[in-house]
Amino acid sequence: MAHLKCIVPECGLEYPLKSVAFRCEHGHPTDVVYEQVPSTSLKEVFYKRRDHHGNIFDESGVWRFRELLNFCQIDTFDVIECASHFVSLDGSEGRLSKPYHMKRAARFAGAEGESLWLQPEGYNPSGSFKDNGMATAVTHGKMVGAKRIICASTGNTSASAGMFAANEGMKCDVYIPAGQIAPGKLSQAYQFGAQIIEVDGNFDDALEQSLRDVERDGYTVNSINPFRIEGQKTIPYRLLEHLEWKAPDWIVYPGGALGNTSSCGKALLELHKWGWIKKMPRIAVINAEGASTLYNLYNGKFGTKLRWNGGNVDTALIDEYYDNMGRRRLDPHTQASAIQIGKPANILKCLRALDATDGVVTTVSDKEMLDAMAVVGLNGFDCEMASGAALAGIKKLIESKVIKKDDVVVGILTGRQKDAMLPVRYHNESSNRFARPPKNRGA
Ligand SMILES: *Cc1c(COP(=O)(O)O)cnc(C)c1O
């Protein structure tokens, strides 16, 4: 009824769900593939579950949609059976996230009327969208009998993994680029009892090290894990449900390792195939200027334009790009540490998403992200700098007329502020556009 399958059509190798074949034997990424077509009458079921009557799997913004991610292959209406499989932090993952209109953000971006929505994923239990995918990844980890989960992290993955591991009584190893993690994220990992393993290097080095070590023991919960991708599909589910399953014109994400955009693409491809949505929204991925691998490759800044090409991706071009990065020591660099990634692990799945949705990729500067972050705050919502990339990117794409002023756009605010000094520094520097420096009234 469901299985793991290589995403490259020409390869298409299949593996059972109870395996950890996150890559096929040729090294291509795999997907969870469901064979049945879920009935659109489930839309009504999902909506009604919001009145959850104490059932945490109805309360959860992830498991509320469990028929569309039922890789456990269980009776989704039997609460006892759900409880013996699904990992949930008492129904809190994804529970509070839905799209909102934010007037000042819309004015900042130049969007007209009520066309702009922003969806704060920071209101997840560990403070970022990662909880959506971690709930499902740890569920699969339990399904294959894992006792120890392992991840590399720019911060939020470790906070999320640590939280679920502690709640499930599992061990958790976290590989971090030493000295490059926002203190608010690192402290969460410590707080939840994770074992921190410092790697000298950047995030890409930490991920490579963690994958080398996992061969011996443990279960990887980075977004190369297709079961992470399954849970993150609920981010577009929630926004589509809010728009009564009428697809918006655009969905806009900051791009780091590209797991989130990959999951959005997979969700849209499935929903379209199943007849749940009539039209495909376009995906826009926003890179930081200093960490713009996807932008460079997709837009032909490094040879020909990199494309999905029916699954025949020019991977030699990606390798060449990485070699060049290594040789010239072009380390990714941005203050938005969550997207400071040079080798996006999900680039192939992201290319598939961009292909299916006629997607675009652009970049924004650190200053633009900080201004956007500040504007989100002025609407009474909190987000971190990397999330500011979504709004800053929307502004840039409206200015360059790629996005029309009255297009319906949903931007994903990926995480809550965990770098406490960043807004303090921003507001104390009066030259910043939205700064409100403190007043001093003497003794
Ligand atoms: C992880 C993360 C990102 C990047 O998401 P990817 O799926 O890796 O592209 C962006 N923003 C925040 C706050 C994050 O935690």
Side-chain angles (χ1 to χ4, degrees):
M1 291 197 297
H3 51 268
L4 283 166
K5 184 171 182 176
C6 172
I7 69 162
V8 176
E10 275 184 11
C11 176
L13 286 168
E14 294 184 6
Y15 300 87
L17 285 172
K18 273 201 174 158
S19 71
V20 287
F22 300 164
R23 306 229 170 238
C24 79
E25 56 209 63
H26 301 123
H28 310 135
T30 58
D31 255 348
V32 181
V33 173
Y34 304 97
E35 279 147 34
Q36 310 97 310
V37 175
S39 159
T40 51
S41 64
L42 284 166
K43 288 178 181 176
E44 187 69 22
V45 174
F46 297 161
Y47 189 79
K48 284 200 177 129
R49 282 178 181 161
R50 294 168 15 143
D51 200 355
H52 55 80
H53 304 286
N55 176 343
I56 65 162
F57 305 107
D58 289 356
E59 187 176 3
S60 164
V62 172
W63 296 118
R64 188 154 67 79
F65 299 99
R66 53 194 177 269
E67 282 77 8
L68 307 190
L69 7 137
N70 188 17
F71 56 83
C72 294
Q73 306 276 284
I74 60 166
D75 176 351
T76 46
F77 287 91
D78 181 339
V79 184
I80 309 283
E81 217 183 331
C82 289
S84 66
H85 289 84
F86 297 154
V87 167
S88 173
L89 203 90
D90 202 33
S92 61
E93 57 285 333
R95 183 165 59 95
L96 297 177
S97 93
K98 61 177 187 191
Y100 292 87
H101 286 306
M102 299 187 196
K103 279 210 171 68
R104 300 188 68 161
R107 211 182 312 145
F108 169 75
E112 258 169 22
E114 304 241 286
S115 58
L116 176 67
W117 302 84
L118 293 172
Q119 179 159 313
E121 289 294 327
Y123 300 152
N124 265 289
S126 84
S128 82
F129 79 82
K130 301 294 197 298
D131 293 340
N132 292 287
M134 202 58 73
T136 47
V138 178
T139 294
H140 183 255
K142 277 178 62 174
M143 188 171 151
V144 299
K147 300 276 183 279
R148 190 167 70 101
I149 62 176
I150 181 166
C151 66
S153 182
T154 60
N156 280 331
T157 302
S158 65
S160 183
M163 179 187 76
F164 281 108
N167 202 245
E168 291 294 321
M170 296 165 101
K171 295 199 182 94
C172 179
D173 288 352
V174 170
Y175 288 67
I176 59 158
Q180 293 180 30
I181 304 291
K185 299 175 182 175
L186 188 57
S187 66
Q188 284 180 289
Y190 278 114
Q191 178 81 353
F192 295 134
Q195 176 63 57
I196 307 291
I197 299 158
E198 294 182 332
V199 176
D200 296 326
N202 58 30
F203 168 80
D204 305 313
D205 302 316
L207 179 61
E208 278 166 26
Q209 187 61 52
S210 80
L211 294 176
R212 273 194 296 274
D213 289 1
V214 83
E215 302 294 343
R216 293 200 298 271
D217 175 17
Y219 176 88
T220 292
V221 294
N222 279 99
S223 52
I224 60 159
N225 179 328
F227 298 91
R228 266 278 299 277
I229 301 296
E230 288 307 290
Q232 286 165 211
K233 290 193 310 191
T234 63
I235 297 169
Y237 292 166
R238 289 191 296 271
L239 76 84
L240 284 165
E241 180 182 68
H242 204 79
L243 303 178
E244 294 171 338
W245 299 95
K246 254 190 78 191
D249 296 303
W250 293 90
I251 305 179
V252 185
Y253 286 89
L258 305 175
N260 227 3
T261 40
S262 297
S263 61
C264 183
K266 182 172 191 270
L268 296 174
L269 276 164
E270 288 173 342
L271 292 174
H272 195 257
K273 191 172 102 189
W274 296 335
W276 283 52
I277 53 171
K278 297 282 172 287
K279 140 187 139 176
M280 279 296 223
R282 296 178 72 184
I283 292 179
V285 185
I286 317 300
N287 274 163
E289 274 178 3
S292 53
T293 298
L294 180 70
Y295 169 80
N296 290 333
L297 288 170
Y298 192 71
N299 294 304
K301 310 287 173 194
F302 187 84
T304 51
K305 290 181 179 177
L306 189 70
R307 287 294 183 272
W308 171 243
N309 195 23
N312 295 309
V313 178
D314 184 1
T315 51
L317 188 69
I318 305 175
D319 293 341
E320 206 183 310
Y321 187 90
Y322 293 169
D323 281 350
N324 182 57
M325 244 171 46
R327 262 198 324 277
R328 299 176 51 197
R329 298 180 175 274
L330 299 174
D331 260 359
H333 190 75
T334 165
Q335 269 192 86
S337 52
I339 52 173
Q340 183 172 270
I341 291 175
K343 299 180 182 173
N346 291 291
I347 192 163
L348 296 189
K349 285 185 180 176
C350 178
L351 289 170
R352 178 178 65 175
L354 291 167
D355 177 73
T357 64
D358 190 17
V360 302
V361 185
T362 191
T363 58
V364 291
S365 68
D366 278 17
K367 189 166 169 41
E368 290 170 312
M369 279 187 259
L370 283 167
D371 285 341
M373 176 189 90
V375 170
V376 170
L378 299 180
N379 291 271
F381 288 86
D382 182 34
C383 77
E384 70 163 80
M385 185 171 166
S387 312
L391 179 59
I394 292 167
K395 176 179 183 340
K396 190 168 176 180
L397 291 169
I398 289 180
E399 278 165 6
S400 58
K401 300 195 164 59
V402 177
I403 296 182
K404 293 199 286 295
K405 281 177 192 298
D406 58 351
D407 277 352
V408 177
V409 182
V410 186
I412 309 300
L413 301 175
T414 43
R416 198 161 64 208
Q417 182 62 260
K418 298 182 186 180
D419 200 342
M421 287 314 288
L422 211 61
V424 176
R425 282 198 302 271
Y426 180 89
H427 285 279
N428 274 272
E429 175 50 61
S430 56
S431 68
N432 284 324
R433 181 164 168 198
F434 299 102
R436 182 163 291 181
K439 287 181 182 162
N440 185 305
R441 301 192 61 219

